[in-house]
Amino acid sequence: MKARNPYTGEFDYEFTPTSPSELEAICGRLREAQPCWEKAGIAGRAETLREFGSAVARHRDALIESLVQDTGRYGISVREANLEPVIEREIAAALKFAREETVRETELPDVINKRQLASYALVGNITPWNFPCSMAFLDTIPALIAGCAVVVKPSEVTPRFIDVVERILRDVPELANALAFVRGDGALGAELISQVDYVCFTGSVATGRKVYRAAAERFIPASLELGGKDPLVVLQGADPVKAAASAVVGSCIASGQICTALERIYVAEDLYDEFVEAAVSCARRVEINYPDIRKGFIGPFILEGQAGTVKRHIEDAVSKGAEAQTGGEILDHGGKWCLPTVLTNVDHSMRVMLEESFGPLLPIMPFASIEEAVRLANDSEYGLTASVFAGDSGEGEEVARALDAGGVSVNRAGITLMVRGIEQDAFKASGMGKNRMGREGIRRFARSKAIMTYAGEDDEIAPGLAAQVFTGC
Ligand code: NAD
């Protein structure tokens, strides 16, 4: 298979996909080694993961370079290659999780329950192209620390970083017995689901539906983290200039190629003109990272087809009466870029207000009442996250409660993206299954097993139990 370089537009990398029989062999090998990984306990696994963190540090330059080639962006690649804090965060969470292995009396006399947390043996993790390395490890590290073995199938669009991760894994053989990466497209993803005991999937709603069906067919649990169309609501009391600056950052972060980017904005009508003016002035200052990859806030579209989607959303909106106040075009330098595009005169007949754009678009619509703002913000098949700006945080939080989304940031866009230790479910089509945040992020990879032992001294077998069972006979 060939992979395109998003910065140059050239197909300059080739790789051999993992065959189904190779996948089966990898899964068999990990399955065999997993009991030993689980037996090492949280302390043992934490030590191995810390060794992995040190190995990442030794190979960091190569990892960054591979991510630069995969994504066409430098600053985010540097942050993605910084895996040690993720490892430390999950180890800290796992230590709390260990305390759930409790010993408790039960309601039956002399019967003691020891709860065992029994890990799923093999987890499959299927990931998208927008943050190749972060997404590959976000579910993987909690699953590993919970005692599972993991096979990761990253997107075929961004395969280069896998070479470096495999080199790093060779430095940590204990981990290589519990973690493997495979290369391939959706067909290999589907094959992976047929081999594992639990599937984590991050990607589009369309693929998520297929993954959920395949998991249901096999009767295995699935955690699905899918797309979004996140709204920002700017209430009457908000500072329009501050809200606009935050909106531009929230829409342009990772060039909009992030599930939690702001994709549509609703502003109290009295603030509308001032907000649009501030957003336009802020958007005009944002530059692309071409010709210097280390400068600029906007990187290229990683998936070429995404540039087409963004173009169609802009054209559809303009054909229905919208006006592009900034940007509005796809820039072609081999790779493809889009400058922040502030759109006015938009409404919900336009695709840009309803479908995931995954680009730096800021369609801005006025509203006359809070009820209207909430109705418009909730008029979406998605429910990932949302943001609210208000004069007073009480009013902001009241509107946040009415929004149909799993995480709402108040008085700054995208806070919910930065906090990982708090549970957030994905609402509506944005996700399904147990979420990856907070305690549940690790806890979902183990089942509660009850081991109940009779500890009494009676000669009769569990007399209390027998009495209860036979009552009424
Ligand atoms: P995608 O659905 O096209 O692909 C995701 C992964 O699924 C890839 O590895 C792909 O090879 C694999 N795949 C494709 N068909 C498959 C099948 N039938 N069975 C199993 N696997 C299959 O998504 P994408 O274009 O790579 O990523 C962009 C999407 O991901 C956007 O919608 C974005 O919002 C979403 N996303 C969500 C989150 C989140 O946390 N909610 C995070 C990042 C990205």
Side-chain angles (χ1 to χ4, degrees):
M1 293 180 82
K2 287 189 172 177
R4 179 178 165 276
N5 181 319
Y7 201 76
T8 63
E10 285 168 20
F11 285 82
D12 61 4
Y13 179 87
E14 277 187 15
F15 65 99
T16 307
T18 309
S19 69
S21 60
E22 284 168 330
L23 177 70
E24 203 179 325
I26 290 168
C27 291
R29 175 174 69 75
L30 293 192
R31 219 176 248 294
E32 209 170 297
Q34 184 271 338
C36 185
W37 176 248
E38 191 176 0
K39 224 172 158 190
I42 290 180
R45 295 193 291 273
E47 195 184 318
T48 305
L49 284 167
R50 284 191 173 120
E51 276 173 39
F52 177 68
S54 308
V56 169
R58 289 197 296 279
H59 292 264
R60 192 165 347 262
D61 289 349
L63 186 57
I64 292 170
E65 183 50 31
S66 65
L67 290 166
V68 166
Q69 299 297 317
D70 269 337
T71 63
R73 55 196 188 195
Y74 180 75
I76 294 177
S77 299
V78 171
R79 288 198 287 282
E80 278 205 81
N82 188 22
L83 285 172
E84 297 94 308
V86 183
I87 293 172
E88 287 305 327
R89 182 183 74 214
E90 296 304 334
I91 290 173
L95 293 172
K96 286 188 206 145
F97 157 89
R99 286 200 284 274
E100 290 190 8
E101 290 238 342
T102 48
V103 178
R104 280 217 328 240
E105 290 180 356
T106 68
E107 64 267 40
L108 295 185
D110 299 327
V111 174
I112 303 291
N113 181 49
K114 292 191 178 164
R115 171 151 82 166
Q116 181 195 352
L117 294 175
S119 316
Y120 287 97
L122 189 58
V123 172
N125 187 13
I126 301 171
T127 58
W129 45 259
N130 63 334
F131 289 85
C133 188
S134 309
M135 287 295 143
F137 284 97
L138 195 56
D139 290 317
T140 294
I141 296 186
L144 285 168
I145 196 86
C148 314
V150 185
V151 177
V152 188
K153 194 214 77 66
S155 169
E156 65 279 18
V157 178
T158 50
R160 297 167 184 83
F161 82 104
I162 304 173
D163 296 343
V164 185
V165 170
E166 285 183 336
R167 249 182 278 153
I168 298 171
L169 274 177
R170 281 199 284 276
D171 283 3
V172 194
E174 293 86 350
L175 188 60
N177 285 334
L179 170 64
F181 277 63
V182 293
R183 297 171 176 78
D185 59 13
L188 189 72
E191 200 65 40
L192 180 60
I193 299 168
S194 75
Q195 302 275 334
V196 296
D197 308 309
Y198 191 117
V199 61
C200 296
F201 172 80
T202 309
S204 62
V205 173
T207 313
R209 285 187 208 281
K210 292 184 198 165
V211 168
Y212 205 46
R213 265 189 223 116
E217 202 60 53
R218 290 209 50 235
F219 230 70
I220 59 169
S223 306
L224 309 181
E225 300 281 348
L226 310 176
K229 186 75 193 168
D230 292 359
L232 163 67
V233 175
V234 183
L235 299 173
Q236 179 79 43
D239 176 333
V241 176
K242 275 192 191 155
S246 194
V248 172
V249 174
S251 304
C252 297
I253 183 165
S255 322
Q257 301 172 112
I258 179 166
C259 52
T260 51
L262 289 179
E263 293 235 349
R264 52 203 172 99
I265 299 165
Y266 306 96
V267 183
E269 57 191 4
D270 291 349
L271 299 185
Y272 184 78
D273 290 341
E274 209 180 333
F275 180 92
V276 170
E277 193 185 319
V280 165
S281 126
C282 213
R284 288 208 171 114
R285 280 184 271 143
V286 177
E287 294 176 352
I288 64 171
N289 72 344
Y290 183 90
D292 185 345
I293 197 167
R294 296 200 183 204
K295 291 191 177 150
F297 193 60
I298 299 273
F301 288 103
I302 297 172
L303 181 72
E304 191 173 18
Q306 206 63 46
T309 303
V310 166
K311 186 166 184 271
R312 282 192 294 281
H313 284 192
I314 296 171
E315 285 172 356
D316 171 72
V318 169
S319 76
K320 291 172 180 159
E323 287 166 39
Q325 306 291 344
T326 59
E329 292 163 40
I330 304 298
L331 309 173
D332 193 337
H333 300 290
K336 294 191 163 74
W337 282 256
C338 181
L339 280 166
T341 297
V342 173
L343 291 163
T344 52
N345 278 341
V346 291
D347 62 45
H348 277 218
S349 71
M350 300 171 185
R351 297 175 73 180
V352 74
M353 298 305 278
L354 300 174
E355 298 171 24
E356 189 179 47
S357 304
F358 233 50
L361 307 186
L362 295 91
I364 311 173
M365 194 172 163
F367 63 81
S369 65
I370 290 181
E371 292 69 29
E372 187 190 9
V374 169
R375 182 178 55 74
L376 288 167
N378 287 343
D379 178 22
S380 171
E381 72 164 312
Y382 296 104
L384 198 55
T385 69
S387 298
V388 181
F389 264 85
D392 99 57
S393 61
E395 191 183 32
E397 285 165 19
E398 205 176 313
V399 170
R401 284 177 185 280
L403 296 180
D404 229 351
V408 186
S409 305
V410 178
N411 283 348
R412 179 160 302 180
I415 318 174
T416 52
L417 171 67
M418 291 176 275
V419 176
R420 315 295 320 184
I422 306 277
E423 274 84 11
Q424 285 180 46
D425 288 327
F427 286 14
K428 301 200 263 188
S430 289
M432 186 59 85
K434 293 184 175 157
N435 79 73
R436 58 163 56 131
M437 311 280 214
R439 283 161 73 81
E440 199 147 90
I442 295 182
R443 187 63 187 79
R444 68 191 151 142
F445 293 115
R447 296 147 295 176
S448 280
K449 188 155 109 190
I451 301 179
M452 296 191 190
T453 304
Y454 175 62
E457 288 178 357
D458 289 299
D459 291 338
E460 281 179 64
I461 297 170
L465 181 63
Q468 288 207 14
V469 169
F470 296 117
T471 301
C473 278

mmCIF file of all heavy atoms in Angstrom, residues 126-130 135 153-156 184-186 189-190 193 201-204 207 210-211 225-228 259 356 358 384 430 436, ligand 1:
data_model
loop_
_atom_site.group_PDB
_atom_site.id
_atom_site.type_symbol
_atom_site.label_atom_id
_atom_site.label_comp_id
_atom_site.label_asym_id
_atom_site.label_seq_id
_atom_site.Cartn_x
_atom_site.Cartn_y
_atom_site.Cartn_z
ATOM 1 N N ILE A 126 -8.584 0.181 17.160
ATOM 2 C CA ILE A 126 -8.595 0.643 15.759
ATOM 3 C C ILE A 126 -8.676 2.166 15.784
ATOM 4 O O ILE A 126 -9.580 2.733 16.411
ATOM 5 C CB ILE A 126 -9.811 0.041 15.017
ATOM 6 C CG1 ILE A 126 -9.742 -1.490 15.071
ATOM 7 C CG2 ILE A 126 -9.863 0.522 13.568
ATOM 8 C CD1 ILE A 126 -10.993 -2.188 14.574
ATOM 9 N N THR A 127 -7.734 2.830 15.118
ATOM 10 C CA THR A 127 -7.596 4.278 15.344
ATOM 11 C C THR A 127 -7.557 5.082 14.040
ATOM 12 O O THR A 127 -7.253 4.542 12.974
ATOM 13 C CB THR A 127 -6.323 4.552 16.189
ATOM 14 O OG1 THR A 127 -5.191 4.036 15.506
ATOM 15 C CG2 THR A 127 -6.424 3.914 17.552
ATOM 16 N N PRO A 128 -7.841 6.389 14.141
ATOM 17 C CA PRO A 128 -7.924 7.245 12.949
ATOM 18 C C PRO A 128 -6.600 7.953 12.655
ATOM 19 O O PRO A 128 -5.614 7.769 13.359
ATOM 20 C CB PRO A 128 -8.983 8.263 13.364
ATOM 21 C CG PRO A 128 -8.749 8.444 14.828
ATOM 22 C CD PRO A 128 -8.246 7.133 15.356
ATOM 23 N N TRP A 129 -6.645 8.824 11.631
ATOM 24 C CA TRP A 129 -5.406 9.461 11.160
ATOM 25 C C TRP A 129 -5.164 10.822 11.792
ATOM 26 O O TRP A 129 -4.087 11.391 11.618
ATOM 27 C CB TRP A 129 -5.431 9.624 9.630
ATOM 28 C CG TRP A 129 -6.740 10.154 9.084
ATOM 29 C CD1 TRP A 129 -7.727 9.407 8.498
ATOM 30 C CD2 TRP A 129 -7.210 11.510 9.072
ATOM 31 N NE1 TRP A 129 -8.783 10.195 8.148
ATOM 32 C CE2 TRP A 129 -8.487 11.503 8.479
ATOM 33 C CE3 TRP A 129 -6.682 12.725 9.512
ATOM 34 C CZ2 TRP A 129 -9.246 12.667 8.312
ATOM 35 C CZ3 TRP A 129 -7.441 13.883 9.345
ATOM 36 C CH2 TRP A 129 -8.698 13.839 8.751
ATOM 37 N N ASN A 130 -6.126 11.392 12.522
ATOM 38 C CA ASN A 130 -5.950 12.815 12.873
ATOM 39 C C ASN A 130 -4.888 13.084 13.938
ATOM 40 O O ASN A 130 -4.220 14.114 13.882
ATOM 41 C CB ASN A 130 -7.304 13.462 13.229
ATOM 42 C CG ASN A 130 -7.952 12.862 14.430
ATOM 43 O OD1 ASN A 130 -7.711 11.705 14.768
ATOM 44 N ND2 ASN A 130 -8.772 13.639 15.101
ATOM 45 N N MET A 135 -3.765 8.859 19.392
ATOM 46 C CA MET A 135 -4.947 7.995 19.325
ATOM 47 C C MET A 135 -4.558 6.527 19.495
ATOM 48 O O MET A 135 -5.288 5.742 20.082
ATOM 49 C CB MET A 135 -5.672 8.187 17.983
ATOM 50 C CG MET A 135 -6.389 9.495 17.895
ATOM 51 S SD MET A 135 -7.717 9.529 19.130
ATOM 52 C CE MET A 135 -7.636 11.210 19.637
ATOM 53 N N LYS A 153 -4.426 -1.223 15.456
ATOM 54 C CA LYS A 153 -4.418 -1.042 14.002
ATOM 55 C C LYS A 153 -4.643 0.434 13.699
ATOM 56 O O LYS A 153 -5.760 0.931 13.661
ATOM 57 C CB LYS A 153 -5.498 -1.872 13.307
ATOM 58 C CG LYS A 153 -5.218 -1.916 11.800
ATOM 59 C CD LYS A 153 -6.424 -1.937 10.926
ATOM 60 C CE LYS A 153 -7.143 -0.645 10.732
ATOM 61 N NZ LYS A 153 -6.418 0.416 10.006
ATOM 62 N N PRO A 154 -3.554 1.176 13.484
ATOM 63 C CA PRO A 154 -3.710 2.593 13.142
ATOM 64 C C PRO A 154 -4.266 2.755 11.734
ATOM 65 O O PRO A 154 -4.337 1.796 10.957
ATOM 66 C CB PRO A 154 -2.282 3.139 13.238
ATOM 67 C CG PRO A 154 -1.511 2.111 13.998
ATOM 68 C CD PRO A 154 -2.162 0.800 13.670
ATOM 69 N N SER A 155 -4.594 3.976 11.402
ATOM 70 C CA SER A 155 -5.134 4.253 10.070
ATOM 71 C C SER A 155 -4.078 4.016 8.996
ATOM 72 O O SER A 155 -2.903 4.349 9.170
ATOM 73 C CB SER A 155 -5.597 5.712 10.009
ATOM 74 O OG SER A 155 -5.889 6.054 8.673
ATOM 75 N N GLU A 156 -4.517 3.493 7.877
ATOM 76 C CA GLU A 156 -3.627 3.278 6.730
ATOM 77 C C GLU A 156 -3.157 4.603 6.133
ATOM 78 O O GLU A 156 -2.206 4.651 5.362
ATOM 79 C CB GLU A 156 -4.350 2.446 5.656
ATOM 80 C CG GLU A 156 -5.571 3.081 4.985
ATOM 81 C CD GLU A 156 -6.871 2.981 5.811
ATOM 82 O OE1 GLU A 156 -6.806 2.733 7.030
ATOM 83 O OE2 GLU A 156 -7.948 3.174 5.200
ATOM 84 N N GLY A 184 -2.621 -1.806 7.957
ATOM 85 C CA GLY A 184 -3.610 -2.162 6.940
ATOM 86 C C GLY A 184 -4.809 -1.238 6.997
ATOM 87 O O GLY A 184 -4.870 -0.309 7.812
ATOM 88 N N ASP A 185 -5.764 -1.501 6.119
ATOM 89 C CA ASP A 185 -6.946 -0.641 6.011
ATOM 90 C C ASP A 185 -8.140 -1.235 6.766
ATOM 91 O O ASP A 185 -7.968 -2.074 7.656
ATOM 92 C CB ASP A 185 -7.258 -0.380 4.526
ATOM 93 C CG ASP A 185 -7.514 -1.681 3.771
ATOM 94 O OD1 ASP A 185 -7.699 -2.732 4.433
ATOM 95 O OD2 ASP A 185 -7.533 -1.646 2.523
ATOM 96 N N GLY A 186 -9.331 -0.848 6.334
ATOM 97 C CA GLY A 186 -10.539 -1.281 7.035
ATOM 98 C C GLY A 186 -10.720 -2.793 7.042
ATOM 99 O O GLY A 186 -11.256 -3.346 8.005
ATOM 100 N N GLY A 189 -8.943 -4.044 9.864
ATOM 101 C CA GLY A 189 -9.677 -3.648 11.073
ATOM 102 C C GLY A 189 -10.803 -4.640 11.341
ATOM 103 O O GLY A 189 -10.992 -5.102 12.475
ATOM 104 N N ALA A 190 -11.547 -4.982 10.282
ATOM 105 C CA ALA A 190 -12.664 -5.918 10.435
ATOM 106 C C ALA A 190 -12.143 -7.278 10.890
ATOM 107 O O ALA A 190 -12.734 -7.936 11.755
ATOM 108 C CB ALA A 190 -13.416 -6.034 9.114
ATOM 109 N N ILE A 193 -11.353 -7.361 14.597
ATOM 110 C CA ILE A 193 -12.517 -7.513 15.493
ATOM 111 C C ILE A 193 -12.861 -8.998 15.665
ATOM 112 O O ILE A 193 -13.314 -9.424 16.724
ATOM 113 C CB ILE A 193 -13.733 -6.721 14.947
ATOM 114 C CG1 ILE A 193 -13.378 -5.240 14.866
ATOM 115 C CG2 ILE A 193 -14.972 -6.923 15.828
ATOM 116 C CD1 ILE A 193 -14.373 -4.413 14.092
ATOM 117 N N PHE A 201 -12.654 1.577 19.360
ATOM 118 C CA PHE A 201 -12.633 2.149 18.013
ATOM 119 C C PHE A 201 -12.756 3.659 18.117
ATOM 120 O O PHE A 201 -13.636 4.176 18.804
ATOM 121 C CB PHE A 201 -13.799 1.590 17.181
ATOM 122 C CG PHE A 201 -13.932 2.292 15.850
ATOM 123 C CD1 PHE A 201 -13.101 1.955 14.793
ATOM 124 C CD2 PHE A 201 -14.854 3.319 15.661
ATOM 125 C CE1 PHE A 201 -13.184 2.622 13.575
ATOM 126 C CE2 PHE A 201 -14.944 3.988 14.457
ATOM 127 C CZ PHE A 201 -14.112 3.633 13.407
ATOM 128 N N THR A 202 -11.882 4.364 17.420
ATOM 129 C CA THR A 202 -12.014 5.816 17.279
ATOM 130 C C THR A 202 -12.045 6.107 15.792
ATOM 131 O O THR A 202 -11.134 5.701 15.060
ATOM 132 C CB THR A 202 -10.809 6.554 17.906
ATOM 133 O OG1 THR A 202 -10.629 6.071 19.234
ATOM 134 C CG2 THR A 202 -11.050 8.050 17.949
ATOM 135 N N GLY A 203 -13.085 6.794 15.346
ATOM 136 C CA GLY A 203 -13.181 7.092 13.917
ATOM 137 C C GLY A 203 -14.539 7.661 13.582
ATOM 138 O O GLY A 203 -15.210 8.254 14.432
ATOM 139 N N SER A 204 -14.949 7.470 12.347
ATOM 140 C CA SER A 204 -16.183 8.099 11.864
ATOM 141 C C SER A 204 -17.421 7.327 12.332
ATOM 142 O O SER A 204 -17.331 6.138 12.675
ATOM 143 C CB SER A 204 -16.162 8.150 10.342
ATOM 144 O OG SER A 204 -16.127 6.831 9.839
ATOM 145 N N THR A 207 -18.110 4.206 9.997
ATOM 146 C CA THR A 207 -17.342 2.991 10.312
ATOM 147 C C THR A 207 -17.733 2.470 11.690
ATOM 148 O O THR A 207 -17.796 1.252 11.901
ATOM 149 C CB THR A 207 -15.821 3.273 10.267
ATOM 150 O OG1 THR A 207 -15.524 3.988 9.075
ATOM 151 C CG2 THR A 207 -15.019 1.996 10.274
ATOM 152 N N LYS A 210 -20.411 -0.012 11.572
ATOM 153 C CA LYS A 210 -19.966 -1.349 11.113
ATOM 154 C C LYS A 210 -19.247 -2.073 12.255
ATOM 155 O O LYS A 210 -19.446 -3.267 12.464
ATOM 156 C CB LYS A 210 -18.990 -1.203 9.936
ATOM 157 C CG LYS A 210 -19.632 -0.679 8.675
ATOM 158 C CD LYS A 210 -18.611 -0.677 7.553
ATOM 159 C CE LYS A 210 -19.067 0.232 6.431
ATOM 160 N NZ LYS A 210 -18.012 0.562 5.494
ATOM 161 N N VAL A 211 -18.422 -1.336 12.979
ATOM 162 C CA VAL A 211 -17.651 -1.946 14.067
ATOM 163 C C VAL A 211 -18.603 -2.457 15.155
ATOM 164 O O VAL A 211 -18.450 -3.564 15.674
ATOM 165 C CB VAL A 211 -16.644 -0.920 14.639
ATOM 166 C CG1 VAL A 211 -16.022 -1.400 15.945
ATOM 167 C CG2 VAL A 211 -15.552 -0.620 13.605
ATOM 168 N N GLU A 225 -15.613 5.852 19.957
ATOM 169 C CA GLU A 225 -15.435 7.313 20.085
ATOM 170 C C GLU A 225 -15.500 7.861 18.677
ATOM 171 O O GLU A 225 -14.585 7.628 17.865
ATOM 172 C CB GLU A 225 -14.079 7.628 20.724
ATOM 173 C CG GLU A 225 -13.902 7.056 22.115
ATOM 174 C CD GLU A 225 -14.586 7.867 23.207
ATOM 175 O OE1 GLU A 225 -15.010 9.010 22.929
ATOM 176 O OE2 GLU A 225 -14.710 7.369 24.332
ATOM 177 N N LEU A 226 -16.568 8.599 18.357
ATOM 178 C CA LEU A 226 -16.844 8.921 16.951
ATOM 179 C C LEU A 226 -16.811 10.429 16.693
ATOM 180 O O LEU A 226 -16.182 11.176 17.424
ATOM 181 C CB LEU A 226 -18.184 8.291 16.559
ATOM 182 C CG LEU A 226 -18.318 6.798 16.936
ATOM 183 C CD1 LEU A 226 -19.686 6.269 16.600
ATOM 184 C CD2 LEU A 226 -17.234 5.965 16.268
ATOM 185 N N GLY A 227 -17.489 10.855 15.660
ATOM 186 C CA GLY A 227 -17.371 12.240 15.194
ATOM 187 C C GLY A 227 -18.141 13.242 16.043
ATOM 188 O O GLY A 227 -18.820 12.894 17.010
ATOM 189 N N GLY A 228 -18.001 14.493 15.665
ATOM 190 C CA GLY A 228 -18.701 15.553 16.386
ATOM 191 C C GLY A 228 -19.041 16.715 15.466
ATOM 192 O O GLY A 228 -18.549 16.811 14.337
ATOM 193 N N CYS A 259 -11.969 15.782 16.638
ATOM 194 C CA CYS A 259 -13.396 15.521 16.826
ATOM 195 C C CYS A 259 -14.062 16.600 17.669
ATOM 196 O O CYS A 259 -15.244 16.857 17.519
ATOM 197 C CB CYS A 259 -13.582 14.149 17.446
ATOM 198 S SG CYS A 259 -12.578 13.928 18.924
ATOM 199 N N GLU A 356 -20.273 16.885 9.883
ATOM 200 C CA GLU A 356 -18.906 17.140 10.375
ATOM 201 C C GLU A 356 -18.036 17.649 9.216
ATOM 202 O O GLU A 356 -17.935 16.996 8.174
ATOM 203 C CB GLU A 356 -18.324 15.842 10.945
ATOM 204 C CG GLU A 356 -17.007 16.056 11.673
ATOM 205 C CD GLU A 356 -16.443 14.751 12.255
ATOM 206 O OE1 GLU A 356 -16.403 13.727 11.542
ATOM 207 O OE2 GLU A 356 -16.042 14.764 13.430
ATOM 208 N N PHE A 358 -14.629 18.924 9.728
ATOM 209 C CA PHE A 358 -13.251 18.537 10.045
ATOM 210 C C PHE A 358 -12.266 19.474 9.348
ATOM 211 O O PHE A 358 -11.249 19.074 8.788
ATOM 212 C CB PHE A 358 -13.003 17.085 9.625
ATOM 213 C CG PHE A 358 -12.438 16.235 10.739
ATOM 214 C CD1 PHE A 358 -13.022 16.217 11.989
ATOM 215 C CD2 PHE A 358 -11.323 15.424 10.535
ATOM 216 C CE1 PHE A 358 -12.509 15.430 13.012
ATOM 217 C CE2 PHE A 358 -10.791 14.638 11.551
ATOM 218 C CZ PHE A 358 -11.393 14.638 12.783
ATOM 219 N N LEU A 384 -20.940 15.235 21.045
ATOM 220 C CA LEU A 384 -19.632 14.975 21.653
ATOM 221 C C LEU A 384 -19.355 16.011 22.753
ATOM 222 O O LEU A 384 -19.482 15.730 23.930
ATOM 223 C CB LEU A 384 -18.562 15.002 20.553
ATOM 224 C CG LEU A 384 -17.228 14.346 20.870
ATOM 225 C CD1 LEU A 384 -17.397 12.906 21.304
ATOM 226 C CD2 LEU A 384 -16.295 14.433 19.673
ATOM 227 N N SER A 430 -22.211 10.346 18.594
ATOM 228 C CA SER A 430 -20.776 10.594 18.807
ATOM 229 C C SER A 430 -20.065 9.462 19.529
ATOM 230 O O SER A 430 -18.836 9.506 19.675
ATOM 231 C CB SER A 430 -20.570 11.904 19.575
ATOM 232 O OG SER A 430 -20.874 12.989 18.739
ATOM 233 N N ARG A 436 -13.650 6.593 27.680
ATOM 234 C CA ARG A 436 -12.211 6.398 27.895
ATOM 235 C C ARG A 436 -11.629 7.333 28.950
ATOM 236 O O ARG A 436 -10.445 7.283 29.221
ATOM 237 C CB ARG A 436 -11.477 6.617 26.579
ATOM 238 C CG ARG A 436 -11.714 7.983 25.970
ATOM 239 C CD ARG A 436 -10.683 8.349 24.910
ATOM 240 N NE ARG A 436 -10.575 7.404 23.831
ATOM 241 C CZ ARG A 436 -10.580 7.730 22.533
ATOM 242 N NH1 ARG A 436 -10.741 8.988 22.170
ATOM 243 N NH2 ARG A 436 -10.439 6.818 21.604
HETATM 244 P P1 NAD B 1 -12.564 6.137 9.694
HETATM 245 O O1 NAD B 1 -13.834 5.687 10.322
HETATM 246 O O2 NAD B 1 -12.530 6.283 8.224
HETATM 247 O O3 NAD B 1 -11.366 5.122 10.047
HETATM 248 C C1 NAD B 1 -10.973 4.860 11.372
HETATM 249 C C2 NAD B 1 -10.261 3.512 11.426
HETATM 250 O O4 NAD B 1 -11.178 2.470 11.115
HETATM 251 C C3 NAD B 1 -9.111 3.353 10.442
HETATM 252 O O5 NAD B 1 -8.045 2.692 11.082
HETATM 253 C C4 NAD B 1 -9.711 2.480 9.351
HETATM 254 O O6 NAD B 1 -8.758 1.707 8.642
HETATM 255 C C5 NAD B 1 -10.604 1.568 10.171
HETATM 256 N N1 NAD B 1 -11.710 0.924 9.456
HETATM 257 C C6 NAD B 1 -12.328 1.304 8.309
HETATM 258 N N2 NAD B 1 -13.325 0.442 7.995
HETATM 259 C C7 NAD B 1 -13.341 -0.497 8.980
HETATM 260 C C8 NAD B 1 -14.164 -1.637 9.249
HETATM 261 N N3 NAD B 1 -15.172 -1.999 8.444
HETATM 262 N N4 NAD B 1 -13.919 -2.364 10.357
HETATM 263 C C9 NAD B 1 -12.924 -2.023 11.209
HETATM 264 N N5 NAD B 1 -12.110 -0.950 11.001
HETATM 265 C C10 NAD B 1 -12.325 -0.199 9.910
HETATM 266 O O7 NAD B 1 -12.171 7.484 10.416
HETATM 267 P P2 NAD B 1 -10.992 8.481 10.039
HETATM 268 O O8 NAD B 1 -11.373 9.185 8.778
HETATM 269 O O9 NAD B 1 -9.703 7.772 10.118
HETATM 270 O O10 NAD B 1 -11.022 9.493 11.273
HETATM 271 C C11 NAD B 1 -11.765 10.670 11.312
HETATM 272 C C12 NAD B 1 -12.990 10.491 12.197
HETATM 273 O O11 NAD B 1 -12.576 10.106 13.498
HETATM 274 C C13 NAD B 1 -13.773 11.777 12.372
HETATM 275 O O12 NAD B 1 -15.150 11.514 12.245
HETATM 276 C C14 NAD B 1 -13.436 12.195 13.805
HETATM 277 O O13 NAD B 1 -14.430 12.990 14.405
HETATM 278 C C15 NAD B 1 -13.286 10.865 14.462
HETATM 279 N N6 NAD B 1 -12.510 10.981 15.703
HETATM 280 C C16 NAD B 1 -13.159 10.871 16.891
HETATM 281 C C17 NAD B 1 -12.464 11.001 18.093
HETATM 282 C C18 NAD B 1 -13.156 10.879 19.420
HETATM 283 O O14 NAD B 1 -12.480 10.753 20.443
HETATM 284 N N7 NAD B 1 -14.475 10.916 19.482
HETATM 285 C C19 NAD B 1 -11.095 11.255 18.070
HETATM 286 C C20 NAD B 1 -10.465 11.362 16.844
HETATM 287 C C21 NAD B 1 -11.179 11.219 15.657
#
